[in-house]
Amino acid sequence: MTGTSGLRSGRVPVRTVDDEPPFDLPGTGPGSPPSRSPGRSSGRSPGRPSGRRSLRARLLLSISATLAAVCAAMALTTVLVQRAYLLGNLDDRVTDAAEHSLGGAALHPELDRDLTFLGERGHPAGMLAARLDAHGGVLAAALVDEDAPPRNLTAAQSAALAHLAADGSPHTRSVPGLGAYRVTALEADGVRVLAGLPMDDVQDLIGRLVRVESGVAAAGLTAAGCVCAVVVRRQLRPLGRVAATAVAVSHAPLGRGEDTALTRVPERDTDPGSETGQVGAALNRMIDHVESSRAERRRSEERMRHSEERMRRFLADASHELRTPLASIAGYAELMNRGTDRGGEPLLAWRRVSVESARMTGLVEDLLLLARLDEGRPLQSAEVDLAALVAEAVWDARAAGDGHDWQLELRLGAPAVVVGDEARLHQVVANLLANARTHTPAGTTVVVTVETTAGAREASCVVRVRDDGPGIPSDLLPSVFERFTRGDASRSRAAGTAGGSGLGLAVAAAITTAHGGRIDVHSEPGRTEFTVELPIAADAVTAAAESGPRGIGDGDAEDVVRPDGARRADRPAGQVVRTEG
């Protein structure tokens, strides 16, 4: 059903694809109110149907009205042209009859009432003729009958022919009892004659033509209306499917956070070559934007929840790490306040207070450092010889953990000079070495490698810390650089060593990132390797480019930094410096 019969109570009826949605109002589905102008009421009562028509009805009415106007114009043109043609032929015949009558009347000009020329042959049946005076009055008039002598016209009939100018122009006169006649008057040598022929044949032919054209037009309009209704219905089906998709999307629970897939317009209804396809494609793009926004919102919520969880875990871990030394300090301070007769206890308590204070101080300094790096505060900037820095760190690690086998390997293709904060870079290497020392058993071999590469566009210095310990569990690898991440449960410690706070690798990662570098880890049972990559200073890159590349084992001599800080010249590149544990 088309039109507005489906609209009640200001609601938009929702139909399936086969029912053809009426496209009456821009609502989104059942229950949605009709659109109104701001500040104005529609003025319709709930039970009153809307004055709008469906798109299909409007198209059919427009097409039907256009076809009817075209058919009417064509029929009218045909009738007028045919009537003009028939009247032209009739006027020619009337003129010939008038000339013929004028010639007969001119034989007896003195007889102004003489109509004997009508008895001659050649006059068509139904023709009427009259003799006129100088003022156009009818002196005598007669009608030619078939197979009968001419019959005089009555006074009323003659009066209908009076006052006609004798200029040869055709006129239409209605003669009582005889019907419409096409008449003309001619004059020659003072003789005036009127002649006329009936218009019945022309009127009958025009009437039949009008009736035939009206029937044909009615049949054609009916057929065209049916065809247009089918075509419009079929052409509007894609628009109906697009509307049904829009209604389905409008009913989707977007605001409740449910992960439901939105309905899409079928591929066949997204052809950019048609207007409906453009609407369908635009609706699909809008749905894509909605789903991408929903996905981004879910990811943002997940990140927020993860951030909140990390913050809660961070606060809990920080509180625990700070509470432990504070509790120890408070306990030993209480012990010192009580006093004791044993002379060794106050000294032991004082030492424990110093140790716990140092532990708490280190924890607070690491937290402050991470906070400053998170805020993007600049670090000190100077050229740092990374090879010497790593050698010193290895020497310090060897002194702290003599139960491990420490090795230093230099593979310098260019000067290992970087721009940064020397103290913080030393802290990065020291944290990596402390991590290897703390979480691997005695006898583990730790190899520290310094590599430099120089090229036309980029140059970097890479520090690798590799050990052959038990490795990092795979479930811990994704979060190994997060704060307060510990590997105590998966990596054994040497007896008597203190557990770390879980900030060492987080500090190393933050410092490396602040220097424009990157840090990575790869671990498997028997091999764990941390990699720190930093950009080489521009001056070092220029010097390396001028001197040319150098590789391992190419016979060039270079300084090799030993773990004890000494330098020994004339060592080939790639020399391994081992410190015995």
Side-chain angles (χ1 to χ4, degrees):
M1 180 181 297
T2 61
T4 60
S5 60
L7 296 178
R8 292 295 185 268
S9 301
R11 294 189 176 186
V12 181
V14 179
R15 306 184 181 184
T16 61
V17 174
D18 295 333
D19 291 337
E20 291 297 326
F23 314 104
D24 304 274
L25 299 173
T28 56
S32 60
S35 60
R36 299 180 180 178
S37 300
R40 297 185 62 185
S41 174
S42 63
R44 293 196 298 267
S45 62
R48 186 178 300 175
S50 172
R52 297 183 180 180
R53 299 180 183 272
S54 66
L55 178 60
R56 185 173 64 239
R58 294 199 301 270
L59 287 175
L60 288 178
L61 288 176
S62 300
I63 294 174
S64 299
T66 303
L67 290 177
V70 170
C71 290
M74 293 178 62
L76 181 61
T77 302
T78 302
V79 169
L80 293 178
V81 171
Q82 187 68 22
R83 183 176 181 276
Y85 176 75
L86 293 177
L87 285 179
N89 289 338
L90 182 60
D91 291 341
D92 293 340
R93 291 167 54 200
V94 169
T95 301
D96 292 342
E99 291 176 352
H100 190 192
S101 299
L102 182 61
L107 297 177
H108 305 282
E110 69 282 0
L111 302 176
D112 54 0
R113 297 178 180 272
D114 180 40
L115 295 177
T116 56
F117 58 85
L118 293 178
E120 299 177 358
R121 300 185 127 196
H123 296 289
M127 170 187 167
L128 57 81
R131 296 289 295 271
L132 304 177
D133 59 15
H135 302 289
V138 177
L139 300 176
L143 175 67
V144 178
D145 288 331
E146 186 176 1
D147 298 333
R151 175 169 55 88
N152 292 329
L153 298 181
T154 63
Q157 294 173 342
S158 298
L161 301 176
H163 309 294
L164 189 68
D167 55 1
S169 59
H171 300 274
T172 301
R173 294 292 175 92
S174 179
V175 180
L178 298 180
Y181 266 75
R182 193 72 169 171
V183 297
T184 186
L186 297 177
E187 180 183 4
D189 299 331
V191 179
R192 295 183 179 183
V193 176
L194 180 146
L197 292 175
M199 297 180 63
D200 295 341
D201 293 341
V202 173
Q203 292 178 341
D204 291 342
L205 182 59
I206 295 299
R208 287 196 301 270
L209 180 62
V210 170
R211 289 191 294 272
V212 170
E213 287 190 347
S214 298
V216 172
L221 286 176
T222 302
C226 295
V227 173
C228 289
V230 173
V231 172
V232 169
R233 173 184 288 270
R234 183 168 297 178
Q235 293 300 320
L236 288 182
R237 281 180 182 175
L239 190 58
R241 292 191 289 268
V242 172
T245 302
V247 171
V249 172
S250 69
H251 292 166
L254 300 179
R256 288 181 285 185
E258 299 181 6
D259 190 9
T260 56
L262 299 180
T263 306
R264 294 291 200 286
V265 177
E267 187 68 25
R268 57 178 176 172
D269 298 330
T270 58
D271 182 12
S274 64
E275 290 77 6
T276 303
Q278 295 173 6
V279 174
L283 182 58
N284 277 351
R285 288 194 296 271
M286 184 189 69
I287 295 174
D288 291 339
H289 292 332
V290 170
E291 287 200 336
S292 63
S293 299
R294 293 176 64 200
E296 181 61 29
R297 185 181 66 181
R298 288 195 297 268
R299 287 193 295 268
S300 178
E301 292 175 352
E302 289 294 333
R303 287 194 298 267
M304 185 176 299
R305 285 194 294 267
H306 183 63
S307 177
E308 291 176 355
E309 292 175 359
R310 289 180 58 189
M311 180 60 66
R312 287 194 295 267
R313 187 171 63 249
F314 171 77
L315 293 176
D317 290 339
S319 300
H320 175 75
E321 291 294 335
L322 291 174
R323 182 182 61 184
T324 300
L326 285 174
S328 299
I329 292 173
Y332 285 115
E334 180 66 22
L335 180 62
M336 293 174 65
N337 288 334
R338 289 179 182 178
T340 179
D341 296 335
R342 290 174 290 185
E345 289 187 359
L347 181 59
L348 176 61
W350 179 255
R351 289 178 179 176
R352 294 305 305 168
V353 168
S354 299
V355 170
E356 295 300 332
S357 298
R359 177 182 176 187
M360 187 171 59
T361 301
L363 177 61
V364 172
E365 288 180 352
D366 286 343
L367 292 175
L368 289 176
L369 175 60
L370 289 173
R372 286 195 297 268
L373 294 177
D374 289 341
E375 292 177 358
R377 294 186 182 181
L379 299 172
Q380 294 183 4
S381 181
E383 289 190 353
V384 180
D385 188 348
L386 202 58
L389 184 147
V390 172
E392 293 174 0
V394 173
W395 178 258
D396 294 339
R398 184 244 179 213
D402 56 357
H404 290 66
D405 182 14
W406 300 94
Q407 298 182 11
L408 174 62
E409 184 174 350
L410 302 180
R411 299 178 179 178
L412 304 180
V417 178
V418 299
V419 176
D421 190 330
E422 182 175 2
R424 298 308 175 195
L425 293 176
H426 186 277
Q427 187 176 0
V428 171
V429 180
N431 286 356
L432 295 179
L433 297 178
N435 181 75
R437 182 185 70 250
T438 304
H439 299 289
T440 57
T444 301
T445 300
V446 182
V447 180
V448 183
T449 305
V450 181
E451 299 178 3
T452 57
T453 58
R457 293 187 177 180
E458 76 177 77
S460 61
C461 181
V462 181
V463 179
R464 306 181 192 274
V465 179
R466 184 178 71 252
D467 67 72
D468 56 0
I472 304 174
S474 58
D475 58 344
L476 191 63
L477 279 176
S479 60
V480 73
F481 292 110
E482 295 182 3
R483 298 166 189 184
F484 293 109
T485 299
R486 299 181 183 86
D488 299 348
S490 60
R491 305 187 81 177
S492 60
R493 303 187 204 172
T497 58
S501 63
L503 294 176
L505 294 181
V507 171
I511 294 175
T512 302
T513 303
H515 282 80
R518 65 179 184 88
I519 187 170
D520 196 7
V521 61
H522 174 75
S523 180
E524 59 185 17
R527 180 184 175 88
T528 299
E529 182 175 276
F530 286 87
T531 303
V532 176
E533 182 177 355
L534 296 169
I536 292 181
D539 295 342
V541 174
T542 303
E546 293 176 354
S547 61
R550 293 185 292 180
I552 300 175
D554 60 359
D556 291 343
E558 62 179 9
D559 289 344
V560 177
V561 182
R562 297 184 58 182
D564 56 1
R567 295 176 180 269
R568 181 176 178 182
D570 300 333
R571 288 287 185 91
Q575 176 85 26
V576 175
V577 180
R578 183 186 301 271
T579 60
E580 300 297 334

